[in-house]
Structures are given as structure tokens and as C-alpha cells.
Amino acid sequence: MRRFGGGLTTGFLSIWLAEAQGWTIGQIGMMLGISSLMGIIASPLGGELASRYGEKRWFSGTLLGSYAFFALAFFAKGFWPFFILFISHRFFGILGMPAGMTLTARFSPRKQRGVGFALSSIPINVVMPIAALVAAYIADTFGLYYIFLTTMVIYFIGLAIFQFGVRIVD
């Protein structure tokens, strides 16, 4: 579900920032580049903290932080507030990735972990094209901003499903 939410924004964030917010291509590129580079710090730190606090608890907490910063970014006014909040959204998302991968491994039979990881990547390949079409429809019908509002709703519904619907036995 979260992949669908993220897929809604993938093709339209740069367009919205340039057209509606007046960002330059350089500013957009800088934000996206920095948000990727943060993985150098966030990923190992997230792995350590997931081991310390438990994968589900850590993953839920980082998703909550990521989604909260995402929502705040789209309500913020101005370049720097959006930039900092979006970077924070990405940082928390990357911070949770090791826990997500560990949970995938835990739910996969020991002798089929490779298959488990392979199968876990299929949903993104299915939902991304559908999300792009839905986002295009939302943009044409309601405007670009509503794509991000829809993403917020999907993110928080997905988090609730994960938190209350996934049982982890230690």
C-alpha cells in the first residue's frame, strides 16, 4: 500500500515543485540528490537501531516519522521549510529500510529467503504503473496538489494496517 502512495508522487513531485512552487531544476535536483545521499548515514544507523528496538517497532516508528514529515512538507510555505521537511521524510524512510528488509527475511522460510525477497519486490512493479495512471487522473481532474493529499491518506492507512494487522512473534 505504501508503494502505491509513493508511486503517486514519483512522476509528479518535480513537476509540482517547478510549476506550482517556482523551484528551479537545480533546486529540485539538489533536494533529490541530498535525499538519496542520506542513505550513507541513515541505512547503517537504521539497522543498528532496528536491532536495538525491534524491527516492527522501529519500522512503524520510522514510517510514522517519514509520513508525518511528508505531510508537513506539503503544508509548509517556502523553499527551505519544504526542503528540510522533505529531506527529513526521506531520512526517516531510509532509516526504516533495514527493519523492513529484516522483516521480509523473518517472514520468508529460511531455505527460500531469496524467493521471499524476489516476491517482495513484485508489488512495486505492479503498483507503480497503476499509481502513475491514478496520479495523472487526479492531476487532470483535481490538480497536482491533490496527488500529495491522496498520498498522505494512503500512507497513514497503510501504516495502520501494518501496525495492527501484522503480528510478529519473537
Side-chain angles (χ1 to χ4, degrees), residues 102-157:
T102 303
L103 290 170
T104 299
R106 286 181 76 183
F107 286 126
S108 302
R110 181 177 290 282
K111 292 184 179 184
Q112 293 183 311
R113 289 218 170 115
V115 173
F117 276 98
L119 293 176
S120 73
S121 68
I122 289 175
I124 196 166
N125 296 318
V126 172
V127 301
M128 290 300 277
I130 296 168
L133 293 171
V134 170
Y137 173 78
I138 293 170
D140 284 343
T141 306
F142 303 104
L144 287 167
Y145 188 70
Y146 289 92
I147 293 170
F148 311 113
L149 295 177
T150 304
T151 298
M152 290 174 211
V153 170
I154 290 170
Y155 275 167
F156 286 108
I157 289 172

Side-chain angles (χ1 to χ4, degrees), residues 32-61:
L32 295 176
I34 289 171
S35 69
S36 293
L37 285 173
M38 285 188 311
I40 295 167
I41 296 168
S43 193
L45 178 61
E48 176 64 31
L49 294 171
S51 294
R52 183 177 303 166
Y53 296 112
E55 290 88 11
K56 183 178 179 188
R57 181 202 279 178
W58 184 250
F59 196 48
S60 294

Side-chain angles (χ1 to χ4, degrees), residues 48-80:
E48 176 64 31
L49 294 171
S51 294
R52 183 177 303 166
Y53 296 112
E55 290 88 11
K56 183 178 179 188
R57 181 202 279 178
W58 184 250
F59 196 48
S60 294
T62 58
L63 289 177
L64 178 61
S66 176
Y67 299 164
F69 281 118
F70 180 88
L72 290 171
F74 285 95
F75 292 116
K77 301 291 184 214
F79 172 79
W80 285 110

Side-chain angles (χ1 to χ4, degrees), residues 13-24 27-28 73-74 76-79 82 144-145 148:
L13 176 62
S14 295
I15 296 168
W16 179 75
L17 289 172
E19 289 184 2
Q21 302 302 304
W23 285 34
T24 67
Q27 289 171 320
I28 296 167
F74 285 95
K77 301 291 184 214
F79 172 79
F82 184 92
L144 287 167
Y145 188 70
F148 311 113

